[in-house]
Every structure is written in structure tokens, then in C-alpha cells.
């Protein structure tokens, strides 16, 4: 009778399924999480691109219009993930080269890599001092280049939040756009470093 028990295959399928099932469930949940994240990111990027086009218009200079544009980005994400926290930050630069290298330009006469000893600099943000980031908060004015950064953060779905890693998903999207040339762009003043 012991030899019959050793040769029996009954129940082996159940044991094999018990070994494979957790792997299959994790793969299924992981696939759903990845698909959902891609979907939320797509909504975030699409709404950010529309927001950038809207911000570049002259009519977007009012705070009421800016709040409406921020709300449209949040609404697009909330339609998919209602609990998401959505933030939209706008910073404006004089031109694309300032957006690529945000430190205010200066003449490094003594070649020490610092703006000091009365060296001249371009005061892009018009605050009277040299800055590592010469941007101005908000959409700026005519012909300025606006960097929009949208961030959406939300708790991961279901059981995937129990897996290793952060329980939060944070998605970030960025875009650059130049404001309409509805007026002449003022040249930034120059200053001297202390």
C-alpha cells in the first residue's frame, strides 16, 4: 500500500497550483498597477500640454484664469484617481537658454566660478542680486518662456501597496512654452555682484 501512495499523482496539481498562484497573482496585480500608472501619467501629460497652450495666451495673465488652468489639470487626473494630490508650478525665464541653464549670467572676470568682487551680471528675475535660479514665479510676461511642472501623488492600488517600495506613486510631467508676443519683451537689467 505504501508503494501505491508513492506512485499516486492525485493532489499534485493542487500543490503545483499553490506554488504558482502567488506568483500569478503578483504578476496580475503588478500589471494592473503599471497600466493604471501609465493611464494616470497620460492624463497628467495631456492636461499639462493643454494648460501650457492656455497659459501662453495673453488672457491667462489674470490670477482667476491661472486658477482655472490649474483646476483643469487637477480635474483630468481626479477623473482617474480621485484621491490624487495634484500641484502645478509655473516658472518663467527670459528665453530658452535661461530655462536650460537657470543661473543668471555673469562675467567671471577673476575666473573663480563665483559672482563676486563687483562682476557684472544679468538680473533676469529683477530682484537686485545674483541668483542660482533666475526664474520668476508664475507665467511671466510677453515672449517669456514658461516652465510648467505638474506633480500628481497618490496611494498605490490595493495589495500592491503592501509590496516593497514606497506606498505612494509620484508622477511628474514638465513642459516649456513661450508666451505669445502680445507686447515687447523688456530686457533684464544688469547689476554687480558684491
Amino acid at each position: 500500500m505504501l508503494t501505491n501512495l508513492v506512485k499516486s499523482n492525485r493532489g499534485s496539481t493542487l500543490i503545483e497550483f499553490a506554488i504558482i498562484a502567488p506568483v500569478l497573482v503578483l504578476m496580475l496585480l503588478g500589471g494592473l498597477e503599471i497600466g493604471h500608472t501609465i493611464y494616470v501619467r497620460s492624463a497628467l501629460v495631456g492636461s499639462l500640454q493643454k494648460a501650457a497652450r492656455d497659459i501662453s495666451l495673453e488672457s491667462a495673465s489674470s490670477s482667476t484664469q491661472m486658477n482655472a488652468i490649474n483646476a483643469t489639470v487637477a480635474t483630468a487626473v481626479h477623473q482617474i484617481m480621485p484621491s490624487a494630490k495634484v500641484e502645478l508650478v509655473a516658472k518663467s525665464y527670459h528665453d530658452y537658454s535661461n530655462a536650460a541653464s537657470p543661473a543668471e549670467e555673469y562675467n567671471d572676470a577673476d575666473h573663480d566660478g563665483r559672482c563676486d568682487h563687483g562682476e557684472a551680471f544679468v538680473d533676469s528675475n529683477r530682484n537686485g542680486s545674483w541668483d542660482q535660479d533666475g526664474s520668476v514665479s508664475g507665467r511671466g510676461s510677453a515672449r517669456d518662456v514658461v516652465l510648467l511642472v505638474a506633480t500628481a501623488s497618490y496611494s498605490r492600488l490595493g495589495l500592491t501597496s503592501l509590496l516593497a517600495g514606497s506606498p505612494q506613486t509620484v508622477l511628474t510631467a514638465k513642459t516649456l512654452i513661450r508666451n505669445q508676443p502680445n507686447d515687447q519683451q523688456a530686457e533684464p537689467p544688469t547689476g554687480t555682484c558684491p
Side-chain angles (χ1 to χ4, degrees):
M1 204 184 279
L2 189 57
T3 57
N4 288 341
L5 186 61
V6 171
K7 292 180 183 180
S8 175
N9 289 346
R10 291 177 36 185
S12 64
T13 305
L14 186 60
I15 293 172
E16 290 170 357
F17 180 74
I19 293 170
I20 299 298
V23 174
L24 290 176
V25 168
L26 285 176
M27 287 177 58
L28 178 65
L29 291 175
L32 290 173
E33 179 79 29
I34 290 169
H36 183 265
T37 301
I38 290 170
Y39 187 37
V40 174
R41 179 161 177 70
S42 175
L44 182 66
V45 168
S47 63
L48 180 66
Q49 289 174 350
K50 180 174 181 341
R53 290 188 297 273
D54 292 344
I55 281 176
S56 71
L57 301 175
E58 181 181 6
S59 61
S61 58
S62 74
S63 62
T64 304
Q65 186 65 21
M66 285 297 293
N67 291 338
I69 291 169
N70 289 347
T72 59
V73 174
T75 300
V77 174
H78 288 153
Q79 288 176 347
I80 301 165
M81 194 66 192
S83 64
K85 179 183 174 192
V86 181
E87 294 180 40
L88 183 65
V89 176
K91 296 190 326 184
S92 62
Y93 296 89
H94 183 70
D95 55 27
Y96 284 106
S97 64
N98 292 126
S101 178
E104 291 179 321
E105 298 172 28
Y106 67 96
N107 179 13
D108 192 10
D110 58 6
H111 305 289
D112 65 352
R114 293 186 312 245
C115 187
D116 56 7
H117 303 112
E119 295 168 331
F121 71 94
V122 177
D123 191 12
S124 298
N125 57 9
R126 295 176 169 78
N127 69 352
S129 64
W130 181 85
D131 294 300
Q132 195 66 33
D133 185 354
S135 66
V136 175
S137 181
R139 77 175 287 281
S141 57
R143 299 176 194 247
D144 282 353
V145 174
V146 181
L147 170 65
L148 283 175
V149 180
T151 306
S153 58
Y154 56 90
S155 297
R156 290 172 60 188
L157 298 175
L159 294 176
T160 57
S161 63
L162 300 175
L163 299 176
S166 172
Q168 286 284 108
T169 299
V170 179
L171 303 173
T172 302
K174 298 178 182 181
T175 190
L176 277 173
I177 194 161
R178 183 180 284 275
N179 288 336
Q180 284 186 343
N182 55 3
D183 198 0
Q184 292 298 318
Q185 184 181 34
E187 288 297 318
T190 58
T192 55
C193 298

